[in-house]
């Protein structure tokens, strides 16, 4: 990510509505069904334009695409070195999710590179404002306040613009799940559509540059800073991403505070395995965990690093991000029965078991969804919510 503080670099503010590329599926050796009975599905390649009666079935077979419509005996074939575009006059249904979802953008079938002869991605190209209601309906609960939805929309729009800017050399910008931001395609949620319409084109800015609209479910009461929780890039070391002071409004979250009980021995093995695989020598020699303490906190009182002590009084200091990943690490040990919700957790072992007492769900940077809802319930506007979670930010209408 470019340097955000230099006057000649940084994430430029967009001046027109972009198209976002959403990876809906990564397919391995299977047939995907798209569309509904009787629906006219248009197929477009650089050399071909044809129409099928839906639903259509598409798969990758070695070096060729195979596409068949309703009643087709012989499938249509095309080399996989060209992408296929699928569209219709009405939204296309995809039944890989339960319940099935519909998509109004153009669906691109793009073969994966490398030696894999059967994998490919299904990617929707859709205008950003048409994409956002499907994000809001997926990220927030029905019945939450208009102000919460509107603040989330501005954050999600800004986050999407950041991803679009930085992934020009990739085949997609975002996925439809929590690895970036959730997305449910075409939705009928009125609150989501109203929030998109009322904030259309509004993004976060600072110093005439785009501010990534990071957000998480629940910060646990104390804000994280992007430089600690997201990464050391200068793009994250700016006032709007350094967090707010004082307690947050997210106490109503069921994950504001939580406890997960683990075997101290298995946790030690899990941390040690993660440490060895990531070049963390002190962590790699851990045995049964005895104690987990806060080593350092940020200016808001949220831990940024933890001191891990085993039964032999060997210790290692790691970031909360590393602890989060290490505690949920699988490998030959297998995934834990109950994964941690965040890396902000502490505990002490008694009789071979450790209660990990944690706070929040997610990285805690930027907008806290439960906190935004709490502010909305108290009558705060979406602009006030944005100002709380992104201090010193400037709201910019990009289109």
């Amino acid at each position: 990510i470019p340097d955000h503080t230099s006057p000649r670099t940084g994430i430029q503010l967009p001046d027109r509505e972009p198209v976002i590329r959403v990876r809906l599926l990564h397919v391995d050796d299977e047939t995907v069904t798209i569309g509904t009975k009787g629906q006219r599905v248009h197929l477009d390649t650089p050399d071909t334009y044809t129409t099928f009666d839906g639903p259509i079935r598409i798969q990758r077979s070695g070096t060729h695409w195979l596409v068949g419509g309703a009643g087709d005996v012989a499938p249509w074939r095309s080399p996989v070195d060209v992408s296929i575009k699928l569209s219709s006059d009405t939204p296309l249904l995809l039944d890989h999710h339960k319940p099935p979802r519909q998509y109004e953008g153009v669906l691109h079938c793009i073969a994966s590179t490398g030696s894999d002869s059967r994998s490919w991605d299904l990617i929707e190209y859709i205008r950003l404002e048409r994409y956002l209601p499907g994000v809001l309906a997926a990220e927030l609960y029905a019945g939450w306040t208009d102000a919460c939805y509107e603040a989330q929309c501005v954050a999600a729009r800004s986050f999407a613009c950041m991803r679009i800017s930085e992934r020009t050399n990739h085949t997609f910008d975002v996925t439809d799940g929590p690895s970036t931001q959730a997305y449910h395609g075409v939705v009928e949620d009125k609150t989501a559509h109203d929030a998109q319409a009322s904030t259309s084109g509004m993004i976060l800015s600072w110093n005439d540059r785009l501010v990534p609209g990071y957000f998480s479910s629940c910060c646990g009461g104390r804000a994280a800073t992007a430089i600690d929780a997201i990464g050391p890039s200068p793009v994250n070391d700016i006032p709007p991403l350094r967090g707010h002071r004082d307690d947050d409004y997210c106490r109503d979250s069921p994950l504001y505070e939580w406890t997960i009980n683990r075997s101290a021995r298995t946790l030690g093995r899990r941390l040690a395995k993660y440490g060895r695989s990531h070049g963390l020598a002190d962590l790699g020699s851990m045995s049964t965990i005895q104690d987990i303490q806060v080593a350092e906190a940020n200016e808001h009182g949220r831990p940024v690093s933890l001191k891990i002590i085993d039964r032999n009084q060997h210790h290692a200091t790691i970031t909360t991000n590393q602890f989060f990943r290490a505690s949920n690490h699988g490998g030959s040990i297998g995934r834990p029965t109950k994964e941690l919700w965040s890396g902000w957790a502490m505990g002490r072992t008694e009789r071979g078991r450790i209660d990990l007492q944690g706070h929040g769900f997610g990285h805690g940077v930027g907008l806290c969804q439960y906190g935004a809802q709490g502010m909305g319930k108290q009558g705060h506007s979406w602009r006030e919510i944005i100002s709380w979670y992104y201090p010193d930010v400037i709201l910019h209408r990009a289109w």
Side-chain angles (χ1 to χ4, degrees), residues 22-24 97 101 103 174-178 180-184:
V22 188
R23 189 177 76 174
L24 306 176
H97 296 284
R101 299 174 186 169
Y103 302 94
V174 293
T175 66
D176 65 351
T180 50
Q181 55 188 11
Y183 169 63
H184 284 177

Side-chain angles (χ1 to χ4, degrees), residues 82-367:
V82 297
S83 63
I84 294 174
K85 302 176 185 178
L86 304 173
S87 61
S88 180
D89 296 334
T90 55
L92 289 167
L93 182 140
L94 185 63
D95 64 2
H96 270 58
H97 296 284
K98 302 299 179 188
R101 299 174 186 169
Q102 294 183 310
Y103 302 94
E104 61 181 335
V106 178
L107 304 185
H108 290 231
C109 305
I110 300 177
S112 302
T113 58
S115 59
D116 191 333
S117 63
R118 293 186 180 275
S119 67
W120 55 282
D121 289 332
L122 182 65
I123 300 169
E124 181 186 26
Y125 283 50
I126 183 170
R127 298 201 71 84
L128 183 56
E129 296 294 343
R130 301 298 297 172
Y131 158 77
L132 287 168
V135 173
L136 299 181
E139 286 285 351
L140 301 176
Y141 287 105
W144 276 16
T145 64
D146 293 348
C148 177
Y149 268 76
E150 290 163 333
Q152 174 68 76
C153 192
V154 175
R157 185 182 290 112
S158 304
F159 178 82
C161 286
M162 180 268 288
R163 294 284 296 189
I164 292 168
S165 174
E166 71 172 5
R167 291 183 63 84
T168 55
N169 295 325
H170 296 75
T171 58
F172 63 92
D173 303 312
V174 293
T175 66
D176 65 351
S179 62
T180 50
Q181 55 188 11
Y183 169 63
H184 284 177
V186 176
V187 297
E188 298 181 357
D189 188 312
K190 184 179 185 301
T191 307
H193 283 280
D194 288 348
Q196 175 274 314
S198 65
T199 66
S200 182
M202 297 295 292
I203 58 175
L204 307 173
S205 72
W206 182 82
N207 196 28
D208 293 326
R209 293 293 185 266
L210 177 72
V211 175
Y214 300 126
F215 61 89
S216 61
S217 175
C218 173
C219 68
R222 295 285 174 169
T225 64
I227 200 75
D228 291 324
I230 304 296
S233 168
V235 75
N236 293 326
D237 194 16
I238 57 174
L241 297 178
R242 291 176 188 156
H244 59 80
R245 297 187 179 277
D246 303 323
D247 290 339
D248 199 60
Y249 295 79
C250 56
R251 282 191 172 273
D252 286 345
S253 169
L255 295 175
Y256 181 82
E257 295 178 332
W258 45 265
T259 300
I260 292 178
N261 184 268
R262 293 274 189 92
S263 159
R265 179 175 179 272
T266 302
L267 178 60
R269 290 176 58 210
R270 201 178 297 282
L271 297 183
K273 188 173 182 63
Y274 179 89
R276 290 192 294 271
S277 64
H278 289 79
L280 303 173
D282 288 340
L283 193 66
S285 59
M286 278 284 151
S287 62
T288 300
I289 301 303
Q290 181 61 37
D291 202 5
I292 300 173
Q293 307 170 355
V294 174
E296 181 185 3
N298 68 14
E299 60 186 301
H300 311 306
R302 183 188 179 99
V304 296
S305 63
L306 302 173
K307 183 177 181 180
I308 317 296
I309 305 171
D310 71 9
R311 64 181 179 181
N312 300 318
Q313 296 305 299
H314 173 78
H315 63 84
T317 300
I318 59 175
T319 68
T320 51
N321 283 342
Q322 289 170 331
F323 180 68
F324 175 71
R325 292 191 292 269
S327 297
N328 294 337
H329 188 65
S332 59
I333 303 174
R335 303 293 292 185
T337 303
K338 196 169 185 179
E339 296 188 357
L340 267 62
W341 300 103
S342 77
W344 179 1
M346 296 158 285
R348 185 172 180 81
T349 297
E350 293 185 10
R351 298 180 181 179
R353 306 290 297 183
I354 184 168
D355 279 335
L356 295 170
Q357 298 170 346
H359 301 260
F361 181 15
H363 51 63
V365 178
L367 184 139

Side-chain angles (χ1 to χ4, degrees), residues 34-97:
I34 299 173
T36 56
K37 184 177 180 180
Q39 185 177 27
R40 302 290 284 170
V41 182
H42 311 299
L43 182 148
D44 189 11
T45 73
D47 302 319
T48 304
Y49 182 84
T50 188
T51 300
F52 293 87
D53 288 328
I56 67 167
R57 301 172 305 281
I58 182 166
Q59 67 180 112
R60 179 182 177 183
S61 178
T63 59
H64 284 80
W65 297 111
L66 301 179
V67 183
D72 292 338
V73 177
W76 177 88
R77 294 171 60 90
S78 175
V80 296
D81 57 358
V82 297
S83 63
I84 294 174
K85 302 176 185 178
L86 304 173
S87 61
S88 180
D89 296 334
T90 55
L92 289 167
L93 182 140
L94 185 63
D95 64 2
H96 270 58
H97 296 284

Side-chain angles (χ1 to χ4, degrees), residues 7-37:
R8 295 187 178 181
T9 61
I11 305 178
Q12 298 291 330
L13 292 170
D15 58 5
R16 61 181 59 87
E17 181 188 1
V19 169
I20 189 166
R21 303 166 300 169
V22 188
R23 189 177 76 174
L24 306 176
L25 291 176
H26 177 70
V27 183
D28 287 308
D29 192 21
E30 60 181 304
T31 300
V32 174
T33 301
I34 299 173
T36 56
K37 184 177 180 180

